Amino acid sequence: MKVVTAQLSTDSGEDRVLVTCRAVAVLDGASSYGPDVPPATLYVDTLADQLYRTIDNDTDLSDVLREAIRSTAEKLDLHPGTAPSSTVAIVRLDGNVLDYLVLGDSPIIIGGSDGSVRTIADTRLADLQLPESGAYRERLKRGSGYDERHRGLLRSLQRRQRANRNREGGYWIAEADPSAASEAVTLRTPVDGIDWVVLATDGATNSIAALGISWHDVARLDNMELESLLARCRRWESSIDPDGQYQPRSKRHDDKTVAVIRL
């Protein structure tokens, strides 16, 4: 398989992408909006390193992720409920089969040779419809901008999310509890009939959608063209929607990562 990637980071820089002989993984560390949760930078660095060590093994991807979370929590002395967190999306080639894993809101998009497009997504956090999430989005639509009230809503939202994290009836994410890996969305498909696969963080998927660019078009781009696309997304955020009215989002700019696998 041929892999091309591009990243455009903010100051926090909490996206990670790793590429091995058989696999591609994308991580998106959760931003911290309060002093009670540390930034996710060291967490995603360590989790990516632990994944890289074992991802090419002939082990179920859920087990690979479980061990990576366990060893990351041990190395960083992290405890469930107070640790940083990250989405995880993985695609791994296993002979004539592709294995997929998604935990959190970094989707995998599959392009078929018949022109079809299929998305593997984990929507459990969005499905909770937490009131703070709706409140900050409505304020942005009304033109409030990224003011102090907005930041206060994000802090409240993050506390509410932690209360629902890695438990039944809530949502599941890579943090300090290895059992979350067993709750990932997984799929296994034959390689035949698949032209390309895209992994992306939500900072990329949301702005690409705002520009009206199809995943078929994204899948054709080389590294430089992918980088240009992400820069175009950033310009759209800055010049067309700087206050999040058209596309309500937690912050003006988010890290953006895209990885394209061509088969």
Side-chain angles (χ1 to χ4, degrees), residues 61-125:
L61 284 181
S62 295
D63 292 335
V64 170
L65 179 57
R66 180 184 300 107
E67 176 57 23
I69 293 172
R70 186 203 63 76
S71 56
T72 297
E74 181 179 279
K75 285 178 176 292
L76 301 181
D77 192 25
L78 301 175
H79 305 280
T82 60
S85 63
S86 176
T87 71
V88 181
I90 304 174
V91 178
R92 187 178 64 189
L93 182 64
D94 181 12
N96 294 318
V97 175
L98 282 172
D99 288 315
Y100 312 85
L101 179 147
V102 173
L103 186 64
D105 60 358
S106 294
I108 297 173
I109 303 97
I110 305 169
S113 54
D114 59 358
S116 63
V117 176
R118 178 180 186 179
T119 300
I120 306 172
D122 180 355
T123 63
R124 287 171 288 191
L125 177 55

Coordinates of all heavy atoms in Angstrom, one line a residue, residues 61-125:
L61 N -6.4 -5.8 16.7 CA -6.2 -4.3 16.9 C -6.7 -3.8 18.3 O -6.1 -3.0 18.9 CB -6.8 -3.5 15.8 CG -6.1 -3.5 14.4 CD1 -6.8 -2.7 13.4 CD2 -4.6 -3.1 14.6
S62 N -7.8 -4.4 18.7 CA -8.3 -4.0 20.1 C -7.3 -4.4 21.2 O -7.1 -3.6 22.1 CB -9.6 -4.6 20.4 OG -10.6 -4.2 19.5
D63 N -6.6 -5.5 21.0 CA -5.6 -5.9 22.0 C -4.4 -5.1 21.9 O -3.8 -4.7 22.9 CB -5.3 -7.4 21.8 CG -6.4 -8.3 22.1 OD1 -7.3 -8.0 22.9 OD2 -6.5 -9.5 21.6
V64 N -4.0 -4.7 20.6 CA -2.9 -3.8 20.5 C -3.1 -2.5 21.2 O -2.3 -2.0 21.9 CB -2.6 -3.6 19.0 CG1 -1.6 -2.4 18.8 CG2 -2.1 -4.8 18.3
L65 N -4.3 -1.9 21.0 CA -4.6 -0.7 21.6 C -4.8 -0.8 23.1 O -4.3 0.1 23.9 CB -5.9 -0.1 21.0 CG -6.4 1.2 21.6 CD1 -5.4 2.3 21.5 CD2 -7.8 1.6 21.0
R66 N -5.3 -1.9 23.6 CA -5.4 -2.1 25.0 C -4.1 -2.1 25.7 O -3.9 -1.4 26.7 CB -6.1 -3.4 25.3 CG -6.3 -3.7 26.8 CD -6.9 -5.1 27.1 NE -8.2 -5.2 26.5 CZ -8.5 -5.9 25.4 NH1 -7.6 -6.6 24.8 NH2 -9.7 -6.0 24.9
E67 N -3.1 -2.8 25.1 CA -1.8 -2.8 25.7 C -1.1 -1.5 25.6 O -0.4 -1.1 26.5 CB -0.9 -3.9 25.0 CG 0.5 -4.0 25.5 CD 0.7 -4.2 27.0 OE1 -0.3 -4.8 27.6 OE2 1.7 -3.9 27.5
A68 N -1.3 -0.7 24.5 CA -0.7 0.6 24.4 C -1.3 1.6 25.4 O -0.5 2.4 26.0 CB -1.0 1.1 23.0
I69 N -2.6 1.5 25.7 CA -3.1 2.4 26.7 C -2.6 2.0 28.1 O -2.2 2.8 28.9 CB -4.7 2.3 26.7 CG1 -5.2 2.9 25.4 CG2 -5.3 3.0 27.9 CD1 -6.7 2.6 25.2
R70 N -2.5 0.7 28.3 CA -2.0 0.2 29.6 C -0.6 0.7 29.9 O -0.3 1.2 30.9 CB -2.1 -1.3 29.7 CG -1.7 -1.9 31.1 CD -1.3 -3.3 31.0 NE 0.0 -3.4 30.3 CZ 1.2 -3.1 30.7 NH1 1.3 -2.6 32.0 NH2 2.2 -3.2 30.0
S71 N 0.3 0.5 28.9 CA 1.7 0.8 29.1 C 1.9 2.3 29.1 O 2.7 2.8 29.9 CB 2.5 0.2 28.0 OG 2.1 0.6 26.7
T72 N 1.0 3.1 28.4 CA 1.1 4.6 28.5 C 0.7 5.1 29.8 O 1.4 5.9 30.4 CB 0.2 5.2 27.4 OG1 0.7 4.8 26.1 CG2 0.2 6.7 27.5
A73 N -0.4 4.5 30.4 CA -0.8 4.9 31.7 C 0.2 4.6 32.8 O 0.5 5.4 33.7 CB -2.2 4.3 32.1
E74 N 0.9 3.4 32.6 CA 1.9 3.0 33.6 C 3.1 3.9 33.5 O 3.7 4.4 34.5 CB 2.3 1.6 33.3 CG 3.4 1.0 34.2 CD 3.7 -0.4 33.9 OE1 2.9 -1.3 34.3 OE2 4.7 -0.7 33.2
K75 N 3.6 4.2 32.3 CA 4.8 5.1 32.1 C 4.5 6.5 32.6 O 5.5 7.1 33.2 CB 5.1 5.1 30.6 CG 5.8 3.9 30.1 CD 6.1 4.0 28.6 CE 6.9 2.8 28.1 NZ 8.2 2.7 28.6
L76 N 3.3 7.0 32.4 CA 3.1 8.4 32.8 C 2.4 8.5 34.2 O 2.0 9.6 34.6 CB 2.2 9.1 31.7 CG 2.8 9.1 30.3 CD1 1.9 9.8 29.3 CD2 4.2 9.8 30.3
D77 N 2.1 7.4 34.8 CA 1.5 7.4 36.1 C 0.1 8.1 36.0 O -0.2 9.0 36.8 CB 2.3 8.0 37.2 CG 1.8 7.8 38.6 OD1 1.1 6.8 38.8 OD2 2.1 8.6 39.5
L78 N -0.7 7.6 35.1 CA -2.0 8.2 34.9 C -3.1 7.4 35.5 O -3.0 6.1 35.7 CB -2.3 8.3 33.4 CG -1.3 9.2 32.6 CD1 -1.6 9.1 31.1 CD2 -1.3 10.6 33.1
H79 N -4.2 8.0 35.9 CA -5.3 7.4 36.5 C -6.6 7.7 35.8 O -6.8 8.9 35.5 CB -5.4 7.7 38.0 CG -4.1 7.5 38.7 ND1 -3.7 6.2 39.2 CD2 -3.0 8.3 39.0 CE1 -2.5 6.3 39.7 NE2 -2.1 7.5 39.7
P80 N -7.5 6.8 35.7 CA -8.8 7.0 35.0 C -9.6 8.2 35.6 O -9.6 8.3 36.8 CB -9.6 5.7 35.1 CG -8.5 4.7 35.2 CD -7.4 5.3 36.0
G81 N -10.1 9.0 34.7 CA -10.9 10.2 35.2 C -10.1 11.5 35.3 O -10.7 12.5 35.4
T82 N -8.8 11.4 35.4 CA -8.0 12.6 35.6 C -6.9 12.7 34.5 O -6.1 13.6 34.6 CB -7.3 12.6 37.0 OG1 -6.5 11.5 37.1 CG2 -8.4 12.6 38.1
A83 N -6.9 11.8 33.6 CA -5.8 11.7 32.6 C -6.2 12.4 31.3 O -7.4 12.6 31.0 CB -5.4 10.3 32.3
P84 N -5.2 12.8 30.5 CA -5.5 13.3 29.1 C -6.1 12.1 28.3 O -6.0 11.0 28.7 CB -4.2 13.7 28.6 CG -3.3 13.8 29.7 CD -3.8 12.8 30.8
S85 N -6.7 12.4 27.2 CA -7.3 11.4 26.3 C -7.0 11.7 24.9 O -6.6 12.8 24.5 CB -8.8 11.4 26.6 OG -9.4 12.6 26.2
S86 N -7.3 10.7 24.0 CA -7.1 10.8 22.6 C -8.0 9.9 21.8 O -8.3 8.8 22.2 CB -5.6 10.5 22.3 OG -5.4 10.5 20.9
T87 N -8.4 10.4 20.6 CA -9.0 9.5 19.7 C -8.0 8.6 19.1 O -6.8 8.9 19.1 CB -9.7 10.3 18.5 OG1 -8.7 10.8 17.7 CG2 -10.6 11.4 19.1
V88 N -8.4 7.5 18.5 CA -7.5 6.5 17.8 C -8.2 6.0 16.6 O -9.3 5.5 16.7 CB -7.1 5.4 18.7 CG1 -6.1 4.4 17.9 CG2 -6.4 5.9 20.0
A89 N -7.6 6.1 15.4 CA -8.1 5.5 14.2 C -6.9 4.7 13.6 O -5.8 5.2 13.4 CB -8.6 6.5 13.2
I90 N -7.1 3.4 13.3 CA -6.1 2.5 12.8 C -6.6 1.7 11.6 O -7.7 1.2 11.6 CB -5.6 1.5 13.8 CG1 -5.2 2.2 15.1 CG2 -4.5 0.6 13.3 CD1 -4.8 1.2 16.3
V91 N -5.8 1.6 10.6 CA -6.0 0.7 9.4 C -4.7 -0.2 9.3 O -3.6 0.4 9.3 CB -6.2 1.5 8.1 CG1 -6.4 0.5 7.0 CG2 -7.5 2.4 8.2
R92 N -5.0 -1.5 9.2 CA -3.8 -2.4 9.1 C -4.1 -3.4 8.0 O -5.2 -4.0 8.0 CB -3.5 -3.1 10.4 CG -2.3 -4.0 10.4 CD -2.0 -4.6 11.7 NE -3.0 -5.5 12.1 CZ -3.1 -6.1 13.3 NH1 -2.3 -5.8 14.3 NH2 -4.1 -7.0 13.6
L93 N -3.1 -3.7 7.2 CA -3.2 -4.6 6.1 C -2.8 -6.0 6.6 O -1.7 -6.2 7.2 CB -2.3 -4.2 4.9 CG -2.3 -5.1 3.7 CD1 -3.6 -5.1 3.0 CD2 -1.2 -4.6 2.7
D94 N -3.6 -7.0 6.4 CA -3.4 -8.4 6.9 C -3.6 -9.3 5.7 O -4.7 -9.8 5.5 CB -4.3 -8.7 8.0 CG -4.1 -10.1 8.5 OD1 -3.0 -10.7 8.2 OD2 -4.9 -10.6 9.3
G95 N -2.5 -9.4 4.8 CA -2.7 -10.2 3.6 C -3.6 -9.6 2.7 O -3.4 -8.5 2.2
N96 N -4.7 -10.3 2.4 CA -5.8 -9.8 1.5 C -6.9 -9.1 2.2 O -8.0 -9.0 1.7 CB -6.3 -10.9 0.6 CG -5.2 -11.4 -0.4 OD1 -4.4 -10.6 -0.9 ND2 -5.1 -12.7 -0.6
V97 N -6.7 -8.8 3.5 CA -7.8 -8.2 4.3 C -7.3 -6.9 4.9 O -6.1 -6.8 5.2 CB -8.2 -9.2 5.4 CG1 -9.2 -8.6 6.4 CG2 -8.7 -10.5 4.8
L98 N -8.2 -6.0 5.2 CA -7.9 -4.8 5.9 C -8.7 -4.8 7.2 O -9.9 -5.1 7.3 CB -8.3 -3.5 5.1 CG -7.4 -3.1 4.0 CD1 -8.1 -2.0 3.2 CD2 -6.1 -2.6 4.5
D99 N -8.0 -4.5 8.3 CA -8.6 -4.3 9.6 C -8.7 -2.9 10.0 O -7.7 -2.1 9.7 CB -7.7 -5.0 10.7 CG -7.8 -6.5 10.6 OD1 -9.0 -7.0 10.5 OD2 -6.8 -7.2 10.7
Y100 N -9.8 -2.4 10.5 CA -10.1 -1.1 10.9 C -10.4 -1.0 12.4 O -11.1 -1.8 12.9 CB -11.2 -0.5 10.1 CG -11.2 -0.7 8.6 CD1 -11.7 -1.9 8.1 CD2 -10.6 0.3 7.7 CE1 -11.7 -2.1 6.7 CE2 -10.6 0.0 6.4 CZ -11.1 -1.1 5.8 OH -11.1 -1.4 4.5
L101 N -10.0 0.1 13.0 CA -10.4 0.4 14.4 C -10.6 1.9 14.5 O -9.8 2.7 14.1 CB -9.4 -0.1 15.4 CG -9.7 0.1 16.9 CD1 -9.1 -1.0 17.7 CD2 -9.1 1.5 17.3
V102 N -11.7 2.3 15.2 CA -12.0 3.7 15.4 C -12.5 3.8 16.9 O -13.4 3.1 17.3 CB -13.1 4.3 14.5 CG1 -13.5 5.7 14.9 CG2 -12.6 4.3 13.1
L103 N -11.8 4.7 17.6 CA -12.2 5.0 19.0 C -12.2 6.5 19.1 O -11.1 7.1 19.1 CB -11.3 4.4 20.0 CG -11.7 4.5 21.5 CD1 -13.0 3.7 21.8 CD2 -10.6 3.9 22.4
G104 N -13.4 7.1 19.3 CA -13.5 8.6 19.3 C -13.8 9.1 17.9 O -13.9 8.4 16.9
D105 N -13.8 10.5 17.8 CA -14.3 11.1 16.5 C -13.3 11.4 15.5 O -13.3 12.5 14.9 CB -15.1 12.3 16.9 CG -14.3 13.4 17.6 OD1 -13.1 13.1 17.9 OD2 -14.8 14.5 17.9
S106 N -12.4 10.5 15.2 CA -11.5 10.5 14.1 C -11.9 9.4 13.1 O -11.6 8.2 13.3 CB -10.0 10.4 14.5 OG -9.6 11.4 15.3
P107 N -12.6 9.7 12.1 CA -13.2 8.7 11.2 C -12.3 8.1 10.2 O -11.2 8.6 10.0 CB -14.3 9.5 10.5 CG -13.8 10.8 10.4 CD -13.0 11.1 11.6
I108 N -12.7 6.9 9.7 CA -12.0 6.3 8.6 C -13.0 6.3 7.4 O -14.1 5.8 7.6 CB -11.6 4.9 8.9 CG1 -10.5 4.9 10.1 CG2 -11.0 4.2 7.7 CD1 -10.2 3.5 10.6
I109 N -12.6 6.7 6.2 CA -13.4 6.7 5.1 C -12.9 5.8 4.0 O -11.7 5.8 3.7 CB -13.5 8.2 4.5 CG1 -14.0 9.2 5.5 CG2 -14.5 8.2 3.3 CD1 -12.9 9.9 6.2
I110 N -13.7 4.9 3.5 CA -13.3 3.9 2.6 C -13.9 4.1 1.2 O -15.1 4.3 1.1 CB -13.7 2.5 3.1 CG1 -13.2 2.2 4.5 CG2 -13.3 1.4 2.1 CD1 -13.9 1.0 5.2
G111 N -13.0 4.2 0.2 CA -13.4 4.4 -1.2 C -13.4 3.1 -2.0 O -12.4 2.5 -2.1
G112 N -14.6 2.7 -2.5 CA -14.7 1.5 -3.2 C -14.3 1.7 -4.7 O -14.5 2.8 -5.2
S113 N -13.9 0.6 -5.4 CA -13.6 0.7 -6.8 C -14.9 0.9 -7.6 O -14.8 1.3 -8.8 CB -12.9 -0.6 -7.3 OG -13.6 -1.7 -6.9
D114 N -16.0 0.7 -7.0 CA -17.3 1.0 -7.7 C -17.8 2.4 -7.5 O -18.9 2.8 -7.9 CB -18.4 0.0 -7.2 CG -18.6 0.1 -5.7 OD1 -17.9 0.9 -5.0 OD2 -19.5 -0.6 -5.2
G115 N -16.9 3.2 -6.9 CA -17.3 4.6 -6.7 C -18.0 4.9 -5.3 O -18.3 6.0 -5.0
S116 N -18.2 3.9 -4.6 CA -18.9 4.0 -3.3 C -18.0 4.6 -2.2 O -16.8 4.5 -2.3 CB -19.5 2.7 -2.8 OG -18.4 1.8 -2.6
V117 N -18.6 5.2 -1.2 CA -17.8 5.8 -0.1 C -18.5 5.3 1.2 O -19.7 5.4 1.4 CB -17.8 7.3 -0.1 CG1 -17.1 7.8 1.1 CG2 -17.0 7.8 -1.4
R118 N -17.7 4.7 2.1 CA -18.3 4.2 3.4 C -17.4 4.9 4.5 O -16.2 4.9 4.4 CB -18.1 2.7 3.4 CG -18.6 2.1 4.7 CD -18.4 0.6 4.7 NE -19.0 -0.1 5.8 CZ -19.0 -1.4 6.0 NH1 -18.5 -2.2 5.1 NH2 -19.5 -1.9 7.1
T119 N -18.1 5.3 5.5 CA -17.5 5.9 6.7 C -17.6 5.0 7.9 O -18.7 4.6 8.3 CB -18.0 7.3 7.0 OG1 -17.8 8.1 5.8 CG2 -17.3 7.9 8.1
I120 N -16.5 4.8 8.6 CA -16.5 4.1 9.9 C -16.3 5.2 10.9 O -15.3 5.9 10.9 CB -15.3 3.1 10.0 CG1 -15.4 2.1 8.8 CG2 -15.4 2.4 11.3 CD1 -14.2 1.2 8.8
A121 N -17.3 5.4 11.8 CA -17.3 6.5 12.7 C -17.7 6.1 14.1 O -18.5 5.1 14.2 CB -18.2 7.7 12.2
D122 N -17.3 6.7 15.1 CA -17.7 6.5 16.5 C -18.4 7.8 16.9 O -17.7 8.8 17.2 CB -16.4 6.2 17.3 CG -16.8 6.0 18.8 OD1 -18.0 6.2 19.2 OD2 -15.9 5.7 19.6
T123 N -19.7 7.8 17.0 CA -20.5 9.0 17.3 C -21.0 9.0 18.7 O -21.9 9.9 19.0 CB -21.7 9.1 16.3 OG1 -22.6 7.9 16.5 CG2 -21.2 9.1 14.8
R124 N -20.5 8.2 19.6 CA -21.1 8.0 20.9 C -21.0 9.3 21.7 O -21.9 9.6 22.5 CB -20.5 6.9 21.6 CG -21.0 5.5 21.0 CD -20.3 4.3 21.6 NE -18.9 4.3 21.1 CZ -18.1 3.2 21.3 NH1 -18.5 2.2 22.0 NH2 -16.9 3.2 20.8
L125 N -19.9 10.1 21.6 CA -19.8 11.3 22.3 C -20.9 12.3 21.8 O -21.6 13.0 22.6 CB -18.4 11.9 22.2 CG -18.2 13.3 22.9 CD1 -18.6 13.2 24.4 CD2 -16.8 13.7 22.8

